[in-house]
Amino acid sequence: MDKYVIKGGNRLTGEVNISGAKNAAVAIIPAVILADAPCRLENLPDISDVKTLLYIMDSMGARVDYLDRHTVEIDPRPVSTDTVDADVARRIRASYYFLGALLGRYHKAAVPLPGGCNFGVRPIDQHLKGFAALGCDYSLDNGMIAVTAQEELHGANIYLDVVTVGATMNIILAAVKARGLTVIENAAREPHIVDLANFLNTMGADIRGAGTDTIKIHGVQKLRGCTYSIIPDQIEAGTYMVAAAATGGDVTVRNVTPKHLESISAKLEEMGVTVEEGDDTVRVVCDKPLRKCNVKTQPHPGFPTDMQPQITALLAIARGTSMVNESVWEGNRFKYVGELRRMGAQITVDGKVAIVEGVDHLKGAPVRALDLRAGAAMVIAGLVAEGTTQVEDVKYIERGYENIVEKLVQLGADIYRRQDLSEEAPENVG
Ligand code: EPU
């Protein structure tokens, strides 16, 4: 188990560059399957989730060429299967986007039931409802979901019962080459949905209304290759904004879309932090004690659930009692609170609500990254804690944060990655 070792107490200062958006990239990579020529993707984040998806593309026959660390050319023409191999795909939730993409190309698809970060029940009933409306049947066999259309997919009106990012994107992927008009009502509005639609439109699709709750997709017959640059990662940016605030720092977060960060900036300002927006930067300055505030996660443009653990870590050292309400995910996206408590945080959880009593100091401790964003919260807590914090299971963090250690060191943090050599050691020595 590789870990991060963090000596807390350093103020973060300087500039940090934000990478491309994970949750856009993980839909756009499978979407390339719909093209009839190579696509060049720029500003891809160098993270393990992207590598896993590129590996899956390669294993399906696509030609994947890295032009540099953040630019990949993918030729989908040699893809020769409508099935995604179970072993790798199970590890990554976003592999469910292959369902929509393969349906668009072959009118049938088989993909393993998705895994991903484990914070409760993560159903895909709305994806399947959408596919059914487009003319598909589905079945579950041996852990694989198979979706098949007897003939060409056809447009339909689809009302989503819950606002879901995954179902909105998957239905777009399946409908983009379907016959006629598809209308998705109560669609999710996240920036990565707009990015997927922009990518597909650059390939020749006809998608309108992405970013609103009604998306209209006129099916087209062909999608061509294109060059496309992925938007900056909203959550990575938000994570550095919170880290800057937690350490009483002064950090300019570069290569961002400030509009995507408004809900995060608003909460930081409520806590007494100064946030200055530039064209593609936000500067976060914290020179006063942090004040309590209440946070409720909501679909975009509300406060993102993927920032909930990080803001809770920040509220743990703010003056007063704050309330954090998780309204996007059922189940337990507060499991990490137990780890924060090990560091001296005073937080109680009652169902979907965490009550956070601010404390003066956190204390370094060995803690675990229970999932990607929970791991980011542990890093933030470690940066402000007295003494040394060891964050274990950093593989979760590295699913979604490019070079987090290097970026934090550049801002003045005392953090390094310690490889667990015991994992490499031979089992029988002597
Ligand atoms: N839901 C259903 N039925 C469905 C789909 C979703 O009831 O068919 C429910 C979920 O149980 C949840 C809510 O709808 O309560 C929202 O789920 P959504 O489908 O929006 O989540 P997702 O697409 O599986 C993506 C991100 C998550 C992020 C959520 C919410 C990716 C790969 N993942 O997941 O990101 O939390 O949207 O914004 O895009 C992360 O990056 O750390 C992460 C977990």
Side-chain angles (χ1 to χ4, degrees):
M1 274 191 299
D2 294 352
K3 52 182 79 152
Y4 295 157
V5 181
I6 309 169
K7 213 157 134 222
N10 289 8
R11 212 175 146 244
L12 298 190
T13 56
E15 299 185 342
V16 61
N17 271 319
I18 296 308
S19 303
K22 168 180 92 84
N23 288 345
V26 297
I28 286 175
I29 292 169
V32 171
I33 285 184
L34 292 159
D36 63 6
C39 293
R40 182 174 293 192
L41 302 180
E42 300 172 344
N43 202 33
L44 270 179
D46 185 11
I47 53 175
S48 63
D49 271 13
V50 161
K51 288 186 186 130
T52 306
L53 285 170
L54 290 174
Y55 175 83
I56 295 172
M57 289 290 279
D58 177 80
S59 69
M60 293 168 76
R63 245 194 62 202
V64 178
D65 289 318
Y66 264 97
L67 304 184
D68 62 44
R69 198 166 148 215
H70 299 112
T71 310
V72 169
E73 189 159 282
I74 308 173
D75 185 348
R77 287 171 296 187
V79 170
S80 54
T81 175
D82 55 34
T83 301
V84 176
D85 178 57
D87 273 358
V88 193
R90 253 187 314 111
R91 285 192 231 144
I92 176 165
R93 183 155 183 87
S95 53
Y96 59 34
Y97 291 129
F98 283 104
L99 279 176
L102 288 167
L103 278 176
R105 175 154 163 173
Y106 291 116
H107 308 158
K108 60 187 185 132
V111 170
L113 201 58
C117 281
N118 173 21
F119 40 71
V121 187
R122 299 183 69 174
I124 60 161
D125 56 299
Q126 298 301 305
H127 304 231
L128 298 174
K129 169 179 154 172
F131 297 149
L134 298 172
C136 304
D137 296 321
Y138 54 84
S139 61
L140 183 64
D141 188 25
N142 204 17
M144 298 284 284
I145 301 174
V147 186
T148 315
Q150 292 314 325
E151 44 194 62
E152 208 186 347
L153 277 74
H154 55 75
N157 279 353
I158 301 161
Y159 175 84
L160 295 175
D161 300 322
V162 282
V163 179
T164 134
V165 170
T168 303
M169 304 247 242
N170 234 342
I171 294 167
I172 292 175
L173 289 168
V176 74
K177 287 171 89 176
R179 186 167 28 88
L181 172 68
T182 298
V183 182
I184 309 175
E185 306 265 19
N186 200 26
R189 292 180 281 169
E190 269 63 7
H192 25 292
I193 289 174
V194 180
D195 210 35
L196 174 68
N198 285 343
F199 170 64
L200 292 167
N201 283 343
T202 309
M203 294 201 292
D206 183 353
I207 304 169
R208 299 174 198 196
T212 75
D213 61 6
T214 305
I215 300 179
K216 294 188 177 163
I217 306 148
H218 284 273
V220 295
Q221 288 196 333
K222 274 168 70 96
L223 293 174
R224 53 182 179 266
C226 70
T227 296
Y228 191 79
S229 183
I230 287 168
I231 52 164
D233 196 300
Q234 174 202 29
I235 305 300
E236 189 198 15
T239 301
Y240 285 100
M241 291 167 74
V242 169
T247 60
D250 179 349
V251 171
T252 301
V253 185
R254 302 178 64 88
N255 181 33
V256 298
T257 307
K259 178 98 189 123
H260 297 165
L261 302 171
E262 279 173 355
S263 62
I264 302 163
S265 302
K267 283 295 149 189
L268 290 179
E269 285 171 338
E270 215 177 306
M271 295 177 76
V273 179
T274 306
V275 182
E276 287 168 19
E277 279 187 13
D279 287 344
D280 63 353
T281 58
V282 285
R283 179 174 171 208
V284 177
V285 183
C286 181
D287 49 14
K288 297 190 272 301
L290 293 160
R291 294 193 295 264
K292 70 179 174 91
C293 80
N294 295 335
V295 176
K296 180 175 184 180
T297 66
Q298 279 172 324
H300 193 77
F303 189 88
T305 172
D306 293 342
M307 283 298 301
Q308 182 259 96
Q310 301 92 312
I311 200 94
T312 303
L314 185 65
L315 292 169
I317 51 161
R319 285 189 180 164
T321 304
S322 309
M323 214 163 67
V324 180
N325 186 330
E326 173 57 58
S327 84
V328 173
W329 286 106
E330 296 283 342
N332 197 350
R333 209 178 186 177
F334 282 125
K335 270 195 265 178
Y336 68 89
V337 160
E339 302 296 300
L340 280 182
R341 277 205 215 108
R342 291 161 59 83
M343 300 178 71
Q346 291 195 7
I347 307 175
T348 50
V349 176
D350 184 5
K352 294 179 141 205
V353 179
I355 311 286
V356 188
E357 309 264 2
V359 294
D360 288 339
H361 301 287
L362 296 176
K363 293 206 175 78
V367 289
R368 286 177 58 207
L370 296 178
D371 63 55
L372 166 59
R373 309 305 174 186
M378 294 308 132
V379 171
I380 291 168
L383 292 172
V384 286
E386 288 172 350
T388 302
T389 297
Q390 302 201 7
V391 183
E392 293 177 356
D393 277 343
V394 299
K395 62 173 190 276
Y396 289 111
I397 300 176
E398 291 168 3
R399 290 180 70 145
Y401 289 92
E402 175 175 333
N403 276 354
I404 186 168
V405 170
E406 290 79 358
K407 289 185 185 187
L408 286 170
V409 166
Q410 204 190 320
L411 293 173
D414 186 341
I415 175 171
Y416 68 93
R417 189 182 197 285
R418 183 188 290 161
Q419 201 173 350
D420 182 355
L421 295 174
S422 67
E423 280 179 4
E424 318 279 316
E427 277 180 25
N428 290 308
V429 181

